[in-house]
Amino acid sequence: MTGALATSRTGQNLGSGPALPRPIRLMIVDDSMVARAVLSRMIDADRNFEIVGVAGTAEDAIDALGQVMVDIVLLDLEMPGVGGLKSIPRILEAAKGAKVLIVSSLAEEGAEETVAALALGAADTLPKPGTGRFNGRFSEVLLGKLRALGYADRGMARPAPPPVARQLPSNTDVPLQLLAIGASTGGIHALGAFFAELPNRIGVPILITQHLPPAFMSVFARQLSATANREALVAEDGMKLLPDRIVIAPGDAHLVVDDIGGTLVARLLKHKVSSGCMPSVDPMLASAGGVLGAGALGIVLTGMGRDGAEGAKRLVEAGGAVMAQDEASCAVWGMPRAVTEAGLTCAVLPPAKLARRVSGRVQEAVCK
């Protein structure tokens, strides 16, 4: 089965949770007939989703996307022909605003391929268990990710967002001393767009907390170094924070900043936090404010949940500033929404424009 097959589940009332304004429309792209059948059965059990097409190759998916409108494409990376990874840009173009969720065994085993997929624009990844090992937990995680990704960004029917809270003034009179960035779902692609517009030299250390498994962090650091055109390292406890060096939270510890005799260093902590995330954006932003006050700038990029909201509050209370990614450019407007609606932001913009704001603050400080 390779072409797109329209399906309808009108009238079904299965699944849990409130019904959405319309079902989220999905396409499954996987060369395994068994995987397609199992994924379809799981998704069919929830009234909030509708499978409008399936495909056995990326090429068939691209052809089908010219005929059906979808919100999310579930994409395997290991397929005949061009394969899933190399096809991501073409699928995103053909999907006209739909999001791509990688569902592949490589999402667990192949860090290089997974991080590359996220950098190419995939919104999220989910490891696909072997045949016969699809269980209830996998189904719960899959449906949760699909609900979080939601509708395609085409101005289609979705709940009206609440009004954006009043934005705070930024502290442009204080020289920037540290940039701390937090991200989750869709973050690697957003970071790529951000660093593409950020000057190669801003003269301050850059901290990043990106939600990823520990095994992926070294690959992420290597790829980010090439994308950002600057050194990027996975944090080690006591590592010096140098100007223009990117230091990334490892997957199994929170990254915070400390001042040892006038030298900024990274510290790694493993305590539980209210968001439940490891690593969490909250300790990073809170420590930046505690150590540097108005000299710290936090940025919260795309991601589900509220991680970063508590840390942003403490950063702002310490005199620092926080910016957030806007809803239209987010894969999931969860983390940025939390800080925005709390009235903690001084700017809510796409990643490229956030980078220009950072550059502008650096330039203002140089000219004074």
Side-chain angles (χ1 to χ4, degrees):
M1 187 187 311
T2 56
L5 300 179
T7 64
S8 176
R9 299 183 284 95
T10 304
Q12 286 194 350
N13 259 334
L14 302 174
S16 60
L20 297 175
R22 67 160 176 80
I24 296 171
R25 296 161 60 87
L26 310 175
M27 175 179 286
I28 299 173
V29 186
D30 196 306
D31 66 318
S32 167
M33 185 178 297
V34 173
R36 293 199 301 266
V38 173
L39 291 171
S40 296
R41 186 166 62 249
M42 290 177 176
I43 293 167
D44 277 338
D46 192 310
R47 62 188 175 184
N48 288 316
F49 304 107
E50 180 182 10
I51 300 171
V52 297
V54 297
T57 68
E59 291 88 343
D60 287 336
I62 292 167
D63 289 341
L65 286 168
Q67 304 171 39
V68 295
M69 300 293 281
V70 305
D71 297 301
I72 304 171
V73 178
L74 286 73
L75 178 66
D76 188 18
L77 292 180
E78 296 180 288
M79 291 187 295
V82 176
L85 180 61
K86 293 182 179 179
S87 300
I88 290 173
R90 292 177 61 205
I91 287 175
L92 288 170
E93 181 179 4
K96 303 178 182 67
K99 300 161 187 177
V100 170
L101 171 65
I102 301 298
V103 183
S104 172
S105 60
L106 288 181
E108 182 173 39
E109 301 165 0
E112 294 276 0
E113 293 86 350
T114 304
V115 176
L118 293 168
L120 286 171
D124 203 355
T125 66
L126 178 63
K128 181 171 68 176
T131 303
R133 293 193 287 118
F134 287 88
N135 55 32
R137 176 60 181 158
F138 175 84
S139 177
E140 290 175 13
V141 175
L142 171 64
L143 296 177
K145 286 180 178 287
L146 293 175
R147 279 190 287 270
L149 291 176
Y151 298 110
D153 184 22
R154 286 191 291 264
M156 301 177 75
R158 68 174 77 187
V164 174
R166 178 181 62 86
Q167 293 181 10
L168 300 173
S170 58
N171 298 317
T172 55
D173 291 337
V174 179
L176 185 63
Q177 295 174 271
L178 180 80
L179 177 62
I181 307 172
S184 185
T185 306
I188 293 180
H189 188 60
L191 285 166
F194 176 82
F195 281 108
E197 291 295 324
L198 193 70
N200 291 339
R201 305 243 177 234
I202 61 172
V204 303
I206 302 170
L207 304 186
I208 292 179
T209 294
Q210 164 72 51
H211 297 163
L212 275 179
F216 289 17
M217 288 304 182
S218 61
V219 174
F220 172 47
R222 185 165 63 250
Q223 293 193 5
L224 183 61
S225 180
T227 301
N229 198 29
R230 66 192 79 209
E231 185 179 32
L233 301 172
V234 179
E236 297 178 2
D237 195 59
M239 176 184 285
K240 289 184 179 180
L241 303 181
L242 303 178
D244 295 301
R245 171 194 276 177
I246 300 172
V247 176
I248 301 167
D252 58 357
H254 311 302
L255 170 62
V256 302
V257 59
D258 197 5
D259 186 331
I260 305 297
T263 299
L264 296 181
V265 299
R267 290 296 186 198
L268 301 182
L269 305 175
K270 297 193 176 185
H271 63 282
K272 291 183 179 180
V273 296
S274 61
S275 70
C277 297
M278 178 65 79
S280 170
V281 180
D282 285 324
M284 178 183 68
L285 296 182
S287 69
V291 173
L292 296 167
L297 172 62
I299 296 179
V300 180
L301 299 177
T302 173
M304 65 181 70
R306 296 182 53 83
D307 188 26
E310 290 185 12
K313 183 175 185 293
R314 292 177 60 182
L315 174 55
V316 170
E317 288 173 345
V322 173
M323 300 193 295
Q325 187 172 351
D326 69 328
E327 182 179 10
S329 65
C330 281
V332 178
W333 199 53
M335 289 164 49
R337 176 177 183 165
V339 297
T340 299
E341 292 183 354
L344 298 172
T345 56
C346 64
V348 181
L349 298 164
K353 291 186 177 180
L354 291 174
R356 291 175 203 143
R357 283 290 183 97
V358 175
S359 175
R361 177 167 172 179
V362 173
Q363 291 301 318
E364 285 181 16
V366 169
C367 293
K368 288 180 179 179

